[in-house]
Amino acid sequence: MTNRLVLPLPGSEVFAERLATAGGFELGALESRRFPDGERYLRIHADPGDRPVDILCSNADEQFLSLAFAADAVRDLGASEVTLVAPYLGYMRQDARFNPGEAVTSRTFARLVSSLVDRLVTVDPHLHRFTALEELYDIPCTVLRSAPLIGDWIAREASAPLVIGPDAESEQWAAEIAARAGAPYVVLAKRRTGDREVEVTLPDLAMHHGRQAVLVDDIASSGRTLAAASQALRDRGFSFPLCVVVHAVFAEGAYADVSAAAARTVSTDTLAHESNAITVAPLIAGALANLP
Ligand code: R5P
């Protein structure tokens, strides 16, 4: 029997409940409001003393200060270990200085988080130029992979699927998902020319005609990658694809754009979104229960 305490930051309450149920953990509550001057007030409604505390946060951009205050407070109240559970780990994409003067936010963010908590547990972080989170973070990191869950979903929902990764980076997910789904996979070539401008080139797909195209990607943000890939597939005679993403970031208007280009668009619940169809809560609960 575990005595872990799950504490959701604002916005993570629904997932926290799923996680606590899946793991048999206690679900605490964080009262949070703003003072009249806009500064944050936080109060923990649970006893974090002498036990591991899992702070849930998938929106570090808006919740970073709350994370800092909550982590410090539970430690001050006697928590034996503080883990940041970030089903979606933000600030992983600006991992290099592409233009002079740019802030390499991946590094800075990792350094700040490492100073706040003892551990990090996350799902499919966007590792591109870095190959492991430990290259950025100074704390033990547990990386979970959603590919088996996505592969099982595809095996259930698609008939004769062809798994398609929209760019070279996605091969790591596409290959594992396809193997699990018992399907072939291909990887497209992508060229990004701006935040919202993407060009996609297809290889020869003649041998796969008649299959259900299933686009898989780790993140849908502007949605341009999936929309452009879908268009390119239809230009080659495929019908509207299924789109499956791990992290449903979906910036303004993106979900509508992708939905219009797809037969169906689904995601895991690392970020709360109407497209969520695959839960990673049991996966994370299992990992937390087995932490050393
Ligand atoms: C790229 O490196 C990622 O794997 C995704 O393909 C990308 O983040 C998707 O972004 P968007 O939805 O803005 O095209």
Side-chain angles (χ1 to χ4, degrees), residues 93 126 128 166-167 169-170 173 190 192 194-196 198 217-227 250 254 258:
R93 285 188 289 173
H126 186 81
H128 182 197
D167 52 28
E169 292 158 42
S170 66
W173 295 282
K190 177 172 94 179
R192 186 177 280 282
D195 285 350
R196 290 172 189 273
V198 163
D217 207 356
D218 62 332
I219 297 173
S221 176
S222 71
R224 296 317 305 155
T225 299
L226 291 173
F250 287 120
V258 174

Side-chain angles (χ1 to χ4, degrees), residues 99-137:
N99 297 296
E102 285 178 351
V104 183
T105 51
S106 290
R107 276 202 184 283
T108 311
F109 182 71
R111 207 161 39 234
L112 291 170
V113 168
S114 298
S115 71
L116 296 174
V117 297
D118 302 308
R119 285 183 178 277
L120 169 64
V121 173
T122 188
V123 179
D124 292 325
H126 186 81
L127 289 166
H128 182 197
R129 273 159 283 266
F130 295 104
T131 53
L133 283 182
E134 281 78 3
E135 292 171 42
L136 290 164
Y137 286 78

